[in-house]
Amino acid sequence: MSELTRRSFLAGSAGAATGAILLAGARTASATDSEPAVTGLRPRSYGGGGDTSTDGVVVYVRDAAAGNVLVMAGEESIEVTDPKLVKAVARALRNGEG
Amino acid sequence: MSSHREAPEIAKDPVADSTDVYAFVSPDRPDTVTIITNYVPFQNPAGGPNFYEFGDDVLYRIHIGNHPPDIAPDEQGDIIFEFRFTTEVTNSNTFLYNTGPIGSLDDPNWNRRQTYSVTRVDELLGATELATGLACPPCNIGPRSTPNYATLANAAVFDLPGGGKVFAGQRLDGFWADLGSIFDLGTLRPFQDLHLIPSAAAAGVNALQAVGVHTIAIQVPISELARDGVVTDDPLHPAAVIGVWASASRQQSLVRDGATTARAGKFQQVSRLGNPLFNEVIVPMAEKDRWNAQSPLFDSEFVQYVAHPELAGLLPVLYPGVFPNLAGLAADRADLVAILLTGIPPGIVPGFQNYTGTTPADFLRLNMAIPPAASPNPLGVVGGDLAGFPNGRRVTDDVVTIELRAVAGVTYPLVDPTFTPDAAAGAILDGTSPPPGFLAAFPYLGHPVSGYDVLPLSV
């Protein structure tokens, strides 16, 4: 998986902004989807004890057939129905970008 | 165990594993209630250099329901106290927990320390941060590292706005039980010679002797817990009763990406606890982790296991001829349902109730109008002491013996006076003694034993 794709879908070190951009693009591409309130996502830092934790945005495809996605960032989660996003994830997996 | 490692998944996550909940009217401050929750079970006091601590990534909560019985409880309770921890490493150039004696909570010799915040979330008033940056005491390391440990730990008792107190840190586990016996096919040491696989009489062994836990304790004025602030000395007043439970939650996702981890999402409950031994002994293994992830408000799914507890069926099998009356008891165990899931309604025990309504939920129910006992009986209500378990739970209550006797039928006459419990049911003893060192004042659980002072187990 390229770094760009890796950050887009798992965003281990890219932070909340990358995930928000991804979602914004996905919403634009799917005109029928309702608008999720991604502005409510608030990251919290962990790991003052010396570990290497970081905030990120995690996108979990909960039900691929229904296009149902759970987007997690900070201590918030939002549910998004976005078949195009799910198809993009599936396409990336098929193409071996990992 | 009360709830130490009681479910397969939470057993692998000790930092989030709630082990015991206590709730009682404070004996030295009877206008307050003390609630204690323990986590991180089975701490070997010598377990360094990475000694035990709370999880920065765990949300610890104490839930309190104070609805009157005619109103269904809230899913998360009416009042929640939330505890969040932050760990700091002061010296990144050493593997040591401390580089010299720790003489105070801000001693520079202490390398890895934790602070925490306390937030009260009220159903009506929302969230209020009561305190932040409070220090946990260090673990008890040994006479060179943590001399004067009691003084050090006592300095970590803090006042809260409104007259409360709080403490978070290592304690000597106050739970005691002969685990090695009980989990060896239900051996009860007083009757081991009568077991299906008999053995010679032997003294009980407290498997938690000298073991540490991490305690969150809070003392709150009754007026701040009771519905609408009603403080009553009438035990039959509906506002006298609160339901208490503890939980621990982790964020929904954890991604390991090389040496980096990312956590994200809402907090999802992974552990909870109200009555001792509920998940441990009542809920089947295959359902224990699901039980841990749910609110008590969904405990109607588990009523069947209380109404027909597996252990009540096993006792007559394991001890042939010893529990004949229990063997013949086929009816629903309405006594256990009341004790564990709804509270005891008025009219069952004279002058007492801790009823929270018909919704079955594993709350530790406390009638705050019952004053502390002058001479507490470790058998609590079963022993005629209304200030003890299952009216809340004090640190000195012998909950293992109480619950074993209740399951064996001692409490069934409360709902069916024609039932005669077996003589053996009232003779069950855990066979062990409580640990030494309970404190007369908050936080009541004793100071932990140091690793240096603990002798190796003999084999």
Side-chain angles (χ1 to χ4, degrees), chain B residues 66-155:
Chain B
N66 61 16
H67 277 185
D70 57 338
I71 300 176
D74 283 345
E75 191 172 325
Q76 295 298 324
D78 302 291
I79 302 165
I80 305 171
F81 290 99
E82 296 188 343
F83 301 84
R84 300 293 300 271
F85 291 84
T86 302
T87 306
E88 179 189 8
V89 172
T90 58
N91 181 352
S92 58
N93 296 316
T94 178
F95 74 94
L96 293 167
Y97 184 77
N98 54 295
T99 52
I102 303 173
S104 66
L105 296 179
D106 59 358
D107 195 308
N109 288 332
W110 185 12
N111 187 33
R112 189 174 173 95
R113 60 189 71 198
Q114 287 194 302
T115 57
Y116 64 101
S117 64
V118 187
T119 301
R120 174 178 168 133
V121 182
D122 190 284
E123 179 190 24
L124 301 175
L125 302 176
T128 304
E129 188 170 75
L130 299 178
T132 188
L134 303 179
C136 298
C139 291
N140 194 354
I141 311 302
R144 293 158 199 80
S145 294
T146 47
N148 305 313
Y149 188 82
T151 302
L152 196 57
N154 291 342

Side-chain angles (χ1 to χ4, degrees), chain A residues 6 10-13 44 46-58 62 70 72-77, chain B residues 56-58 84-89 112 251-267:
Chain A
R6 185 187 190 91
L10 293 179
S13 58
R44 178 187 190 270
Y46 290 106
D51 68 13
T52 53
S53 300
T54 185
D55 291 305
V57 175
V58 176
R62 187 183 258 166
L70 189 66
M72 295 165 275
E75 297 178 2
E76 306 292 335
S77 304
Chain B
D56 287 10
D57 53 352
V58 176
R84 300 293 300 271
F85 291 84
T86 302
T87 306
E88 179 189 8
V89 172
R112 189 174 173 95
Q251 285 180 275
Q252 287 170 299
S253 70
L254 167 65
V255 177
R256 301 190 192 282
D257 186 17
T260 298
T261 56
R263 300 175 180 84
K266 291 179 181 174
F267 280 91

Side-chain angles (χ1 to χ4, degrees), chain B residues 135-187:
Chain B
C136 298
C139 291
N140 194 354
I141 311 302
R144 293 158 199 80
S145 294
T146 47
N148 305 313
Y149 188 82
T151 302
L152 196 57
N154 291 342
V157 174
F158 297 101
D159 291 332
L160 290 174
K165 292 180 184 294
V166 68
F167 170 89
Q170 192 183 41
R171 295 281 86 189
L172 184 66
D173 196 336
F175 182 68
W176 70 94
D178 190 347
L179 303 177
S181 173
I182 290 170
F183 290 128
D184 186 17
L185 287 180
T187 305

Side-chain angles (χ1 to χ4, degrees), chain B residues 170-442:
Chain B
Q170 192 183 41
R171 295 281 86 189
L172 184 66
D173 196 336
F175 182 68
W176 70 94
D178 190 347
L179 303 177
S181 173
I182 290 170
F183 290 128
D184 186 17
L185 287 180
T187 305
L188 302 172
R189 298 228 195 226
F191 312 119
Q192 65 265 59
D193 55 326
L194 303 177
H195 194 282
L196 204 56
I197 307 171
S199 57
V205 177
N206 177 16
L208 293 104
Q209 189 167 11
V211 162
V213 287
H214 262 53
T215 291
I216 295 172
I218 190 166
Q219 192 171 73
V220 187
I222 290 173
S223 59
E224 293 191 13
L225 296 177
R227 188 74 175 174
D228 299 324
V230 173
V231 179
T232 176
D233 59 3
D234 176 10
L236 301 183
H237 194 297
V241 178
I242 56 172
V244 178
W245 73 100
S247 71
S249 301
R250 288 189 176 279
Q251 285 180 275
Q252 287 170 299
S253 70
L254 167 65
V255 177
R256 301 190 192 282
D257 186 17
T260 298
T261 56
R263 300 175 180 84
K266 291 179 181 174
F267 280 91
Q268 167 66 52
Q269 183 178 298
V270 296
S271 177
R272 72 159 155 127
L273 182 57
N275 284 295
L277 301 163
F278 189 99
N279 200 23
E280 179 96 16
V281 173
I282 299 288
V283 180
M285 188 175 287
E287 299 196 48
K288 288 177 185 289
D289 285 298
R290 184 169 68 87
W291 184 91
N292 263 335
Q294 296 188 168
S295 162
L297 269 294
F298 302 110
D299 280 347
S300 58
E301 300 172 31
F302 302 95
V303 170
Q304 58 182 312
Y305 306 121
V306 179
H308 297 279
E310 182 182 8
L311 183 58
L314 283 173
L315 286 174
V317 175
L318 293 173
Y319 298 91
V322 177
F323 296 98
N325 296 345
L326 180 63
L329 179 54
D332 285 357
R333 294 296 302 274
D335 57 326
L336 299 178
V337 171
I339 291 168
L340 298 173
L341 289 176
T342 64
I344 299 171
I348 303 293
V349 177
F352 176 75
Q353 58 93 20
N354 62 358
Y355 186 59
T356 57
T358 57
T359 303
D362 176 38
F363 299 155
L364 185 61
R365 293 170 175 83
L366 175 65
N367 188 319
M368 301 182 291
I370 303 287
S375 301
N377 185 325
L379 295 181
V381 175
V382 172
D385 176 1
L386 299 182
F389 183 78
N391 183 30
R393 178 186 174 191
R394 301 167 298 199
V395 296
T396 54
D397 285 338
D398 186 356
V399 293
V400 174
T401 296
I402 295 168
E403 290 198 351
L404 284 173
R405 289 186 181 187
V407 167
V410 159
T411 52
Y412 193 68
L414 291 173
V415 297
D416 180 359
T418 67
F419 178 79
T420 302
D422 297 300
I428 293 175
L429 290 171
D430 173 62
T432 62
S433 301
F438 287 124
L439 306 178
F442 185 84

Side-chain angles (χ1 to χ4, degrees), chain B residues 24-34 159 162-165 219-222 372 440 442 444:
Chain B
F24 51 91
V25 176
S26 313
D28 53 332
R29 293 185 69 200
D31 59 336
T32 69
V33 163
T34 297
D159 291 332
K165 292 180 184 294
Q219 192 171 73
V220 187
I222 290 173
F442 185 84
Y444 303 101

